[in-house]
Amino acid sequence: MAAPIRIGLVGVGKIARDQHLPVLAASPDYALVAVASPHGGLDGVPSYATLEAMLAAHGDLDAVALCQPPQARFAAALAGIAAGRHVFLEKPPGATLAEVGLLVAAARDRGVSLFASWHSRYAPGVEPARRWLSGRRIRSVAIAWLEDVRHWHPGQDWIWDAGGMGVFDPGINALSIATHILPPFFLTGATLSVPANRQAPIAADLHFADAAGTPIRARFDWRQTGPQTWDIRVETDDGPLVLSRGGAALSIAGRDRPLPPEAEYRGLYDRFAALVRSGASDVDLNPLIHAADAFMRGERRTVEAFTD
Amino acid sequence: MAAPIRIGLVGVGKIARDQHLPVLAASPDYALVAVASPHGGLDGVPSYATLEAMLAAHGDLDAVALCQPPQARFAAALAGIAAGRHVFLEKPPGATLAEVGLLVAAARDRGVSLFASWHSRYAPGVEPARRWLSGRRIRSVAIAWLEDVRHWHPGQDWIWDAGGMGVFDPGINALSIATHILPPFFLTGATLSVPANRQAPIAADLHFADAAGTPIRARFDWRQTGPQTWDIRVETDDGPLVLSRGGAALSIAGRDRPLPPEAEYRGLYDRFAALVRSGASDVDLNPLIHAADAFMRGERRTVEAFTD
């Protein structure tokens, strides 16, 4: 068994506490050495206000995982790479496409692994769905990603700022699955609904097509109360495939398929460990490209102001 | 001397009449065989309402040049590629990044040349500027692209629609030069000024940085009356380099450099002929990536309504 990867976590917010820390605590591949956060640290773990302070104090860190908001991620990623550390990026890998291109080049030049993680691709139904769809004729796709922002992102003002992505923060999870299980597609039209007092959309209605003209429609909406919906329905010549609960459930032609329990972040950290041990990187920009395309090409309409 | 490339032009608007047709008429590399436009044809040249009709009538066409608005370009490009024709794309190469990715794959699969043209890169001062800057230390960059939209785009409603790009239509010319002569950079912040009655911005204030932190600022504004400005000023340790008049004039450390006369589209069509004859493609998405990043990350503010 290889020695554990000595890792530091940057950004100790909701996603770090809910997902990263429990997986790191349970994995034999990692030793959590330190955390860095401007908003306070973690009991029992050496904690620093900045990545720079953490790197200075722990010269033997192998890797850093970056979980802070996307607007602040580039500087940290570049500093980590420049210090010769492998870098795990939460999704989305940056606030812009161009900055991720620079990180890819920097990681290659420095000889470290860069992993742009897309956690939803590690949902248990995704890989079986991808395999079943491969080679089948697809007639249409309907994606519905409907959730209650007040429940999932309470008081997260950064998500509403320019570059915070708004409803594309969850919606990009749907795009990360769709780009993984479907043939290449592109945006043909979009409507973005933006609250009067915010910069980022609260809802998006997206129309895509693949090269064969197959219609792919995605609706993202953060105004859903009651039951939450994270579904991708693919109509094929052999019946419908339905990936629901964000990829945790799969039915094909009306029959539920048995799946292992959800373990997305375990899957991500397994993948990152494999990348680090083999000296490779994994950066797929397609989900972020579709989001950027929607912001560039989408029609904006102003909707009711949103307050938390 | 190789036989001329038999070419058809799609979209007979302002840019086709001002630039493409005169260059094709003068070049020994090309024979203009036909044109296609829903808004009427061209005297003395076989004219069709659609690309499909043109392709059906002229089975021996080698190539097509696509000059219609970006929102309609993908379907035409894919049809041209599917028919085995080489494709010349006006800038921007698409309304989305993803669609251009599909075109690149389709052209590769079909064995035809795809050229995403960026005409400003062929301005006479650009290549000398690139060579002089190469290896020099850059301190800062200021880009000012200020023009009168009423003069340059009279009544072009499509340019104000979602996907029409607004002031990024000329601004992407500046970005195409900057990405050619500077080290890689990325957007760090932006403000987009959008008229109350339009979808696309009339002005943009963009802040970029390269990996070393060098500040690069670009101001695009369509509300400029009087003298027009298309300037890129690069401060270096060896004095300033100033590329002005869109790249038609160059001064280095205060001294004007002699340049040949403007011949951007001649340069583009020479390049396209070389690509066709060598079986290569040339698609650089970086200018469009920066535009998409600005739409995704930029802060929008509403400004006075614009009417033609």
Side-chain angles (χ1 to χ4, degrees):
Chain A
M1 168 97 206
I5 296 164
R6 297 173 56 85
I7 194 164
L9 195 77
V10 185
V12 188
K14 182 169 168 53
I15 193 72
R17 292 177 190 273
D18 289 354
Q19 301 286 352
H20 292 256
L21 292 170
V23 166
L24 287 171
S27 170
D29 285 321
Y30 295 92
L32 178 65
V33 169
V35 300
S37 166
H39 309 300
L42 205 63
D43 279 354
V45 180
S47 301
Y48 303 88
T50 65
L51 168 67
E52 288 69 25
M54 182 176 78
L55 290 175
H58 297 273
D60 58 349
L61 268 180
D62 299 308
V64 292
L66 304 183
C67 311
Q68 70 272 68
Q71 295 98 324
R73 215 169 278 156
F74 174 80
L78 197 64
I81 292 168
R85 268 63 173 197
H86 308 291
V87 174
F88 176 121
L89 292 169
E90 247 300 344
K91 47 104 338 193
T96 63
L97 292 161
E99 73 192 60
V100 187
L102 265 76
L103 294 180
V104 169
R108 190 178 49 224
D109 292 349
R110 192 66 176 76
V112 299
S113 295
L114 180 66
F115 181 34
S117 72
W118 299 109
H119 65 80
S120 293
R121 288 185 177 173
Y122 292 80
V126 171
E127 197 54 31
R130 190 190 66 73
R131 280 198 307 268
W132 191 81
L133 288 172
S134 175
R136 281 199 161 75
R137 208 182 76 81
I138 295 170
R139 296 178 179 177
S140 68
V141 181
I143 299 169
W145 228 250
L146 316 174
E147 57 175 61
D148 181 353
V149 64
R150 287 186 173 87
H151 177 77
W152 297 101
H153 299 280
Q156 285 183 22
D157 274 341
W158 65 265
I159 218 163
W160 295 103
D161 292 342
M165 309 280 292
V167 77
F168 282 85
D169 179 88
I172 208 166
N173 296 335
L175 295 171
S176 75
I177 296 174
T179 50
H180 192 61
I181 67 174
L182 300 174
F185 55 84
F186 65 99
L187 190 85
T188 57
T191 306
L192 308 185
S193 298
V194 184
N197 62 333
R198 302 287 187 171
Q199 282 288 326
I202 196 165
D205 187 7
L206 310 173
H207 293 262
F208 300 93
D210 64 14
T214 310
I216 300 165
R217 180 167 178 192
R219 289 183 306 123
F220 305 156
D221 203 319
W222 254 350
R223 296 166 299 192
Q224 176 89 346
T225 52
Q228 308 282 285
T229 300
W230 301 282
D231 289 355
I232 299 179
R233 184 182 173 93
V234 184
E235 305 292 343
T236 79
D237 284 355
D238 299 315
L241 175 145
V242 182
L243 202 49
S244 52
R245 294 199 284 121
L250 176 64
S251 97
I252 294 179
R255 295 185 55 180
D256 288 343
R257 297 288 172 120
L259 295 174
E262 188 281 314
E264 294 180 10
Y265 277 77
R266 174 65 194 266
L268 287 179
Y269 274 101
D270 287 351
R271 172 76 175 145
F272 185 51
L275 291 169
V276 167
R277 307 231 194 260
S278 67
S281 286
D282 177 355
V283 180
D284 177 7
L285 281 176
N286 282 320
L288 191 58
I289 282 174
H290 291 302
D293 281 344
F295 279 90
M296 178 163 64
R297 165 137 199 188
E299 184 118 12
R300 288 184 170 229
R301 58 185 191 121
T302 303
V303 298
E304 197 186 347
F306 175 86
T307 44
D308 245 333
Chain B
M1 169 96 207
I5 296 165
R6 297 173 55 84
I7 194 164
L9 195 77
V10 185
V12 189
K14 183 170 166 54
I15 193 73
R17 292 176 189 274
D18 289 354
Q19 300 286 351
H20 292 255
L21 293 169
V23 166
L24 288 170
S27 169
D29 284 322
Y30 295 92
L32 178 66
V33 169
V35 301
S37 166
H39 309 300
L42 205 63
D43 279 355
V45 180
S47 301
Y48 303 88
T50 65
L51 168 67
E52 288 69 24
M54 182 176 79
L55 290 175
H58 297 273
D60 58 348
L61 267 180
D62 299 309
V64 292
L66 304 183
C67 312
Q68 70 271 67
Q71 295 99 323
R73 214 169 278 156
F74 174 80
L78 196 64
I81 291 168
R85 268 63 173 197
H86 308 291
V87 173
F88 176 122
L89 292 169
E90 246 299 344
K91 48 106 332 195
T96 62
L97 291 160
E99 72 193 61
V100 188
L102 265 75
L103 294 180
V104 169
R108 189 177 49 224
D109 293 348
R110 192 66 177 76
V112 298
S113 296
L114 180 66
F115 181 35
S117 73
W118 299 108
H119 65 80
S120 293
R121 288 186 176 172
Y122 293 80
V126 170
E127 197 53 32
R130 191 189 65 74
R131 281 198 306 270
W132 190 82
L133 287 172
S134 174
R136 279 197 162 76
R137 208 182 76 80
I138 295 170
R139 296 178 180 176
S140 68
V141 181
I143 299 169
W145 228 251
L146 316 174
E147 57 176 60
D148 182 353
V149 64
R150 288 188 174 85
H151 177 77
W152 297 101
H153 299 280
Q156 285 182 21
D157 275 340
W158 66 264
I159 218 164
W160 294 102
D161 292 343
M165 308 281 293
V167 76
F168 282 84
D169 180 88
I172 209 166
N173 296 335
L175 294 171
S176 75
I177 297 175
T179 50
H180 192 62
I181 67 174
L182 300 174
F185 54 84
F186 65 98
L187 190 85
T188 57
T191 306
L192 309 185
S193 299
V194 183
N197 62 334
R198 302 287 186 170
Q199 282 288 326
I202 196 165
D205 188 8
L206 310 172
H207 293 263
F208 301 94
D210 64 14
T214 311
I216 299 166
R217 180 167 178 193
R219 289 183 306 123
F220 304 157
D221 203 318
W222 253 351
R223 297 166 298 193
Q224 176 89 346
T225 53
Q228 309 282 287
T229 300
W230 301 283
D231 290 355
I232 298 178
R233 185 182 172 95
V234 184
E235 305 292 344
T236 80
D237 284 354
D238 298 315
L241 175 145
V242 182
L243 202 49
S244 50
R245 296 197 284 122
L250 176 65
S251 98
I252 294 178
R255 295 186 54 179
D256 288 344
R257 297 289 172 119
L259 296 173
E262 189 282 312
E264 293 180 10
Y265 277 77
R266 173 67 193 267
L268 288 180
Y269 274 102
D270 286 352
R271 172 77 176 144
F272 185 51
L275 291 169
V276 167
R277 307 232 194 259
S278 66
S281 286
D282 177 356
V283 180
D284 177 8
L285 281 175
N286 283 320
L288 192 56
I289 282 174
H290 290 303
D293 281 344
F295 279 90
M296 179 164 63
R297 167 138 198 187
E299 184 119 11
R300 288 185 170 228
R301 57 184 192 122
T302 303
V303 299
E304 198 186 345
F306 175 85
T307 44
D308 243 333

